[in-house]
Amino acid sequence: MKAPAGLWHWASAEPGPGRLPDPDDLCRRARAAGLDYIAFKALDGGERFLTDDQLEQAKRACQRAGLTFAIWQYVYAIRPPSEEAQSFATLIRRFDPAFVFVDVEKEYEAKRPASGQYADAFRVALPHFPATIAPFGRADLHPGIDYQAWHNHGFGVAPQAYECDSHELTPAKCAQSFAHLWPVDKQWALVGFHQGALGKLSGAYIGASLRALPVANISAWYSG
């Protein structure tokens, strides 16, 4: 049985909300490619990225195409992490996605307590909602993030396995670095189809890297 596969959506933000190309066209192409879901960027920290109308369009387009609708948030810890969590929880209640991602990167690495503060507030609001963090590719290379706090609050993990940026970021190496907290077969792999430091990798190359890796789910980051 194949792991469900999906795509993260992000559109360059001009002044004001993020741009959303024709969602029906995007969803039709995703479905034709054999994908199962699209995760749309909804929040940038505590600020809206896509508007209510854009998220409603995206959700309806996913439904028409037979795709699962999900959303994600990038977090900064500029405002209290609890506020970022509360903003996301409010949006989740409103749009009822199937699951969500929290993109946790350098800002939370610089402020280690932020992880526990966010996770606490999120679980107060949504005790059992399916949520997954998407941190840097390898836990051992970025030990400043408090991964234990996320794990203890029931978050899954989707390491950013951007092999297009480094040979040290293969999906297998990334998954293994988080295996002390999350079994590999329970992890989500987030692979990079973007133009990285090593160029842009083909689907066949990335497929070979994923082969025999028993992850629970696969997402792709594509930009350009």
Side-chain angles (χ1 to χ4, degrees), residues 142-185:
H142 297 279
I145 296 173
D146 186 358
Y147 304 108
Q148 185 77 55
W150 296 102
H151 173 270
N152 291 351
H153 285 83
F155 285 77
V157 69
Q160 295 177 19
Y162 293 166
E163 196 172 353
C164 56
D165 283 320
S166 170
H167 294 304
E168 295 304 311
L169 297 179
T170 65
K173 288 180 180 179
C174 292
Q176 189 56 46
S177 76
F178 287 94
H180 63 293
L181 291 174
W182 290 274
V184 173
D185 63 353

Side-chain angles (χ1 to χ4, degrees), residues 20-28 38 40 54 57-58 61-62 64:
L20 181 66
D22 180 2
D24 281 303
D25 178 62
L26 175 65
C27 290
R28 282 193 298 268
I38 300 179
F40 292 86
Q54 288 172 322
Q57 290 179 49
C62 282
R64 286 190 288 267

Side-chain angles (χ1 to χ4, degrees), residues 1 7 11 33 42 46 51 65 72 96 134-135 165 187 200 206 217 219:
M1 181 177 180
L7 183 74
T51 65
W72 63 280
D96 191 30
D165 283 320
Q187 295 183 30
K200 186 175 286 189
I206 293 174
N217 207 312
S219 297

Side-chain angles (χ1 to χ4, degrees), residues 23-106:
D24 281 303
D25 178 62
L26 175 65
C27 290
R28 282 193 298 268
R29 289 188 289 122
R31 190 61 176 165
L35 299 182
D36 303 294
Y37 65 88
I38 300 179
F40 292 86
K41 184 175 183 180
L43 285 174
D44 196 47
E47 304 300 323
R48 293 296 297 275
F49 188 78
L50 293 179
T51 65
D52 282 359
D53 184 59
Q54 288 172 322
L55 286 174
E56 287 166 0
Q57 290 179 49
K59 183 172 183 176
R60 290 195 298 268
C62 282
Q63 291 170 338
R64 286 190 288 267
L67 294 171
T68 296
F69 169 74
I71 58 177
W72 63 280
Q73 173 194 30
Y74 192 98
V75 290
Y76 290 96
I78 296 173
R79 59 176 61 194
S82 59
E83 289 188 16
E84 291 185 312
Q86 290 159 4
S87 295
F88 204 23
T90 297
L91 209 60
I92 290 166
R93 291 194 192 99
R94 179 163 188 168
F95 289 96
D96 191 30
F99 51 83
V100 299
F101 295 101
V102 183
D103 191 351
V104 182
E105 299 191 22
K106 60 184 180 181

Side-chain angles (χ1 to χ4, degrees), residues 3 172 175 183-189 209-218:
V184 173
D185 63 353
K186 304 298 183 184
Q187 295 183 30
W188 301 43
S209 285
L210 288 165
R211 190 169 292 124
L213 188 65
V215 292
N217 207 312
I218 299 166

